[in-house]
């Protein structure tokens, strides 16, 4: 472009079969996915640490006996950490075994079917770097999650522990300056809940995004359509006979009993279309419009509504006056408040002159180039009035199942002209699905992470509540002996369990709002501060927390006061 005066920049990328533009577009998803996986790993650490604290409480007497016979605090710490790392390492091995078949699913996310043959399915496989990372992450997780229980176990008073079978209140509240502050286990629960809220909110947003893009109407009937891109470059069809050949091919194909309608165009919809500088009445400067050369019957076969005027007919040939049909967006933008019918538009010819076209119709808006952008101003021109290129698209509506018609269409074309280049044949629903692969991938993966987070948070709350009930058995017995009712005891336990949950919900919502700039790149038609999603994500978590706290609180309420008072304290 020697005539352009603006500065130019050159970017050099490593050689790869992945389009650099695709890699750039997927970068935000990759970063957020890694962040979500890291958040889930932190949640796992908090959950495991909570469970190990509970286990360490039951092993107090064993640890005390080891210390009494000479084990140093460092040796006790190493023992507990070694056990945790061993369990974490085994979990990492199991994860690698499970992940190997799961990677096959990843490749399907990136398939972008197109009539141009761009059906890219990326193969995903585990290699030594992935395995090394999984093992290292498992070992580090075991160390991090087991450090607090190990230190706590090594600091116990040996004499007091051996004298009694007391169960220390590991997760109970402490008092600082006369006020109760949460213990370590409550803080871990708060962390789990906050991370779970973030993942649930993000999952809700990307699910709503997927629902939004799936509900978009491209403006033409695609669910039963089959498309094919063909080329006459290897045939003996002369350039001047291409139009006649394609019209005859479409007419003969229409006669097949399994074909309901056939539409022809230079470019299939939802594929790259040329842009043409066009000028309208009263305009000095040309405007760039999406243009498409289509054959008669195109609008009827694709069920594109003609709002005003008429569609193209067999009379719109090279010898007839040049005509064009525009979409509703173009009509509203360049002919506001009036009908564009009969108005001219000028199209530059290769010889430098301007061809005058008369607008004879207005159609509904269609998505010509991209499923995820709003309809652009577009002009259709009659195919017979323009030279045909070697490559053209056929869009067929079969009277049978679209998938079953794909091999039939391929065989029919091969029998019709053996040297015809058939670039790709596929149901058009796959093309539309390919445009939303990023939204589909985000929805599935973030939902999976959110489900894991919800389960882990629920297990963590259940574990803390169960340990609390065990620790406070005698207290509950005393309360019931002096007149406390069962539902009073159960309600008290649930209220205390929900305190770290409420704190975690607040922290999670605040973090979700702080991440809006990062999350926005994943969304389409949905705001990152969508109230329904925020409320829905927190409601799901609170209900799960209540369910996890209910069973232990019910067990506490059913404690027999006499049995509880006999428990050592």
């Amino acid at each position: 472009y020697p005539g352009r005066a603006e500065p130019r920049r050159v970017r050099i990328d490593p050689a790869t079969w992945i389009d650099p533009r695709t890699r750039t577009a997927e970068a935000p998803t990759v970063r957020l996915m890694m962040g979500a996986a890291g958040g889930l790993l932190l949640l796992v650490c908090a959950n495991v640490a909570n469970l190990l604290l509970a286990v360490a409480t039951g092993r107090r007497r064993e640890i005390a006996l080891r210390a009494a016979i000479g084990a140093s605090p460092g040796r006790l710490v190493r023992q507990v950490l070694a056990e945790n790392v061993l369990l974490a390492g085994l979990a990492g091995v199991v994860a690698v075994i499970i992940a190997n078949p799961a990677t096959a699913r990843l490749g399907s996310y990136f398939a972008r079917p197109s009539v141009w043959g761009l059906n890219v399915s990326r193969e995903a496989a585990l290699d030594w770097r992935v395995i090394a990372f999984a093992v290292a992450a498992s070992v580090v997780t075991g160390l991090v999650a087991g450090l607090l229980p190990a230190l706590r176990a090594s600091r116990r008073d040996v004499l007091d522990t051996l004298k009694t079978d007391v169960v220390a209140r590991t997760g109970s509240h402490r008092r600082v300056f006369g006020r109760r502050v949460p213990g370590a286990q409550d803080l871990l629960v708060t962390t789990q809940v906050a991370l779970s809220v973030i993942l649930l909110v993000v999952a809700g947003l990307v699910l709503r995004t997927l629902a939004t893009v799936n509900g978009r109407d491209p403006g033409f009937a695609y669910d039963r359509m089959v498309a094919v891109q063909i080329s006459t470059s290897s045939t003996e069809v002369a350039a001047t006979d291409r139009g006649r050949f394609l019209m005859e091919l479409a007419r003969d194909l229409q006669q097949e009993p399994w074909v309901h309608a056939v539409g022809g165009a230079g470019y299939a919809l939802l594929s790259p279309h040329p842009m043409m500088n066009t000028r309208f009445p009263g305009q000095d400067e040309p405007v760039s419009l999406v243009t498409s050369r289509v054959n008669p019957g195109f609008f009827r076969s694709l069920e594109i509504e003609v709002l005003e005027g008429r569609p193209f007919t067999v009379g719109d040939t090279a010898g007839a006056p040049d005509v064009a049909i525009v979409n509703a967006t173009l009509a509203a933008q360049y002919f506001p408040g009036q009908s564009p019918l009969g108005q001219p538009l000028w199209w530059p010819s290769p010889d430098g002159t301007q061809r005058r076209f008369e607008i004879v119709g207005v159609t509904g808006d269609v998505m010509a180039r991209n499923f995820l952008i709003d309809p652009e101003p577009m002009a259709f021109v009659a195919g017979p009035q323009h030279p045909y290129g070697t490559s053209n698209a056929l869009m067929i509506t079969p009277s049978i199942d679209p998938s079953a018609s794909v091999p039939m269409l391929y065989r029919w074309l091969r029998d019709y002209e053996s040297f015809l280049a058939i670039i790709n044949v596929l149901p058009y629903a796959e093309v539309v699905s390919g445009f939303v692969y990023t939204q589909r991938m985000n929805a599935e993966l973030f939902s999976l992470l959110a489900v894991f987070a919800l389960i882990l948070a629920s297990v963590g709350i259940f574990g803390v509540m169960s340990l609390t009930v065990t620790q406070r058995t005698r207290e509950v017995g005393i309360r019931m002996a002096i007149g406390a009712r069962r539902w009073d005891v159960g309600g008290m336990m649930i209220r205390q369990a929900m305190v770290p949950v409420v704190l975690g919900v607040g922290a999670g919502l605040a973090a979700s709002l702080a991440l809006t700039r990062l999350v926005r790149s994943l969304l389409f038609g949905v705001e990152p501060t969508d109230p329904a999603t925020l409320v829905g994500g927190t409601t799901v978590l609170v209900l799960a927390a209540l369910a996890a706290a209910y069973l232990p609180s019910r067990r506490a309420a059913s404690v027999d006061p006499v049995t509880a008072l006999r428990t050592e304290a």
Side-chain angles (χ1 to χ4, degrees), residues 201 205 512-513 516-517 519-520 523 526-530 534:
V201 168
L205 290 171
S512 300
L513 294 174
T516 53
R517 186 177 62 85
V519 176
R520 191 180 298 274
L523 307 181
V526 179
E527 288 297 322
T529 56
D530 179 58
L534 296 176

Side-chain angles (χ1 to χ4, degrees), residues 345-370:
L345 63 85
W346 287 270
W347 191 340
S349 298
D351 58 4
T353 61
Q354 297 282 324
R355 291 181 63 178
R356 183 185 185 279
F357 289 78
E358 180 184 350
I359 299 176
V360 296
V362 179
T363 69
D365 288 327
V366 296
M367 299 173 184
R369 300 192 299 170
N370 194 319

